[in-house]
Amino acid sequence: MDFQAFLITLRESLEAILIVGLILSYLTRLNADRYKKWVFVGVFLALLTSFLVALLFQVVFTGFASFGSEIYLKVSIMFASVFLLSHMVLWMKKQSKGINTEMEKKINAALTAGSISAMIIHSYLIVVREGVETVFFFAAISGGEVTKVFQSFGALSGLLMALILGYLFFSGTMRFSLKTFFNVTGLLIMFIAAGLLVQGIGILQDLGVMGSFYTNADGRPKPVYNIIEFMPEHVQDEMHYERDTGKEVLISGQVGLFMSAMFGYSHNPSLEQLLAYWLYFLFVLLWMKLINDGKIKNPMTILANLKKKYERK
């Protein structure tokens, strides 16, 4: 969980830091430093909102737990996070090329109107989007224990690394390719999303809510393969295997736990888990290629265009 939290926090925080940094840099170029304090007001309000959302999320999850329904909320969060994480990767790949131009247009519009509120709202929306997404993703990887993830080593390290990279980038001390950075982290985040998808399907099958085309004699999902002796996906699985067989596994369950959390590894996946894992990558990579080739548009771009047409009417 720590590495997942590190990666998510690094990615989300760096996006927000870079965009806010670009806003501040552009204001400097326009000799409009008086507006900078309002940008920071927007950032502060966004951080406060994200914190309140985290507390609210914890309260709601605790409420579900008291009724014994937290497992269904957990699965719902997992599947929703798969969609949001995938969209985040697609959005950044599409928007990274023209993010400066789009941002400058919005800032110019705010400055032309002399609107302080517009500057606050613009910086607020940038940061709060990343903050609320982070809360949601933390809930998915922690099973609802959002506050524990915020206090974890991974989350704090990710935030610190994002601040350092942001400072080095804008100070000119270090230049790195944002495109490469977002491509690499995007690929890793796709693994996290695929892992959440597999975990969600596994939970539904364990609950008996979802069946399988490949079953045991008792009708329960049958593993396509079982390589627990090579690397169990959890420390408890390792303990049970060694107790039952008297043999030691080749690779520790601690490593398997990391591989499970980070890459969706399972030592005994069902047919549906295995198919969902590889079909997910096939779908997202194909979608990326079609967007890059201009054959289809980003779904959010389509919605934005439809909204503009509706507003004109």
Side-chain angles (χ1 to χ4, degrees):
M1 186 178 72
D2 274 345
F3 189 76
Q4 288 175 296
F6 169 79
L7 185 62
I8 290 171
T9 308
L10 172 62
R11 170 96 181 200
E12 295 285 338
S13 299
L14 189 59
E15 283 182 30
I17 289 168
L18 290 175
I19 296 175
V20 171
L22 289 170
I23 292 174
L24 295 174
S25 299
Y26 190 60
L27 289 174
T28 299
R29 278 166 43 197
L30 295 177
N31 293 319
D33 289 347
R34 64 186 182 279
Y35 285 97
K36 287 185 177 181
K37 61 182 178 182
W38 301 113
V39 173
F40 288 115
V41 169
V43 171
F44 172 76
L45 292 175
L47 293 174
L48 180 61
T49 301
S50 300
F51 177 72
L52 293 176
V53 169
L55 291 179
L56 177 63
F57 212 107
Q58 194 67 59
V59 170
V60 170
F61 193 87
T62 302
F64 270 81
S66 65
F67 290 103
S69 305
E70 77 277 8
I71 190 67
Y72 297 102
L73 178 60
K74 178 180 177 180
V75 173
S76 300
I77 293 170
M78 282 181 171
F79 288 142
S81 294
V82 171
F83 171 79
L84 290 173
L85 286 167
S86 304
H87 171 259
M88 179 174 70
V89 174
L90 293 170
W91 185 86
M92 279 307 301
K93 191 157 188 73
K94 181 73 176 177
Q95 300 296 329
S96 58
K97 297 177 182 178
I99 193 168
N100 285 22
T101 305
E102 191 66 26
M103 176 207 60
E104 289 177 1
K105 287 180 181 177
K106 292 180 179 179
I107 297 174
N108 280 331
L111 293 180
T112 301
S115 174
I116 291 174
S117 60
M119 191 61 64
I120 293 175
I121 292 171
H122 184 48
S123 54
Y124 172 84
L125 291 176
I126 289 169
V127 178
V128 81
R129 183 181 76 88
E130 309 296 345
V132 172
E133 281 185 353
T134 301
V135 171
F136 202 86
F137 298 150
F138 280 1
I141 65 175
S142 67
E145 297 292 332
V146 181
T147 52
K148 286 186 178 180
V149 187
F150 272 112
Q151 298 167 4
S152 71
F153 174 76
L156 295 175
S157 300
L159 178 59
L160 180 61
M161 179 64 74
L163 289 169
I164 292 172
L165 289 176
Y167 171 78
L168 294 176
F169 182 80
F170 285 107
S171 66
T173 306
M174 182 178 71
R175 292 289 173 181
F176 57 91
S177 170
L178 291 180
K179 182 178 179 181
T180 301
F181 172 82
F182 286 121
N183 282 341
V184 172
T185 55
L187 180 62
L188 292 174
I189 283 175
M190 284 171 59
F191 276 110
I192 292 178
L196 290 173
L197 178 62
V198 168
Q199 288 177 42
I201 291 174
I203 292 173
L204 290 180
Q205 290 183 324
D206 288 341
L207 292 172
V209 175
M210 181 177 177
S212 176
F213 290 103
Y214 187 55
T215 61
N216 292 312
D218 60 0
R220 296 188 63 79
K222 182 179 180 180
V224 178
Y225 56 79
N226 192 333
I227 53 173
I228 188 172
E229 68 278 3
F230 171 72
M231 183 172 66
E233 64 188 73
H234 199 280
V235 179
Q236 290 183 348
D237 294 318
E238 178 183 358
M239 292 170 60
H240 292 161
Y241 175 79
E242 292 181 350
R243 180 196 63 194
D244 295 340
T245 65
K247 300 177 182 179
E248 293 186 358
V249 297
L250 184 63
I251 300 176
S252 169
Q254 291 285 1
V255 178
L257 183 61
F258 169 78
M259 295 297 289
S260 175
M262 188 62 221
F263 300 107
Y265 168 77
S266 174
H267 66 255
N268 59 342
S270 67
L271 176 64
E272 288 70 25
Q273 286 178 303
L274 197 63
L275 289 175
Y277 188 82
W278 292 110
L279 287 175
Y280 169 80
F281 282 102
L282 180 63
F283 175 79
V284 175
L285 292 174
L286 179 61
W287 192 272
M288 281 185 180
K289 186 177 187 312
L290 292 174
I291 289 177
N292 286 337
D293 293 344
K295 294 181 180 179
I296 61 172
K297 293 183 178 180
N298 188 304
M300 298 308 290
T301 304
I302 296 173
L303 291 175
N305 291 337
L306 289 174
K307 181 181 177 184
K308 288 179 182 177
K309 289 181 181 179
Y310 176 78
E311 288 174 346
R312 289 195 198 104
K313 295 179 181 180

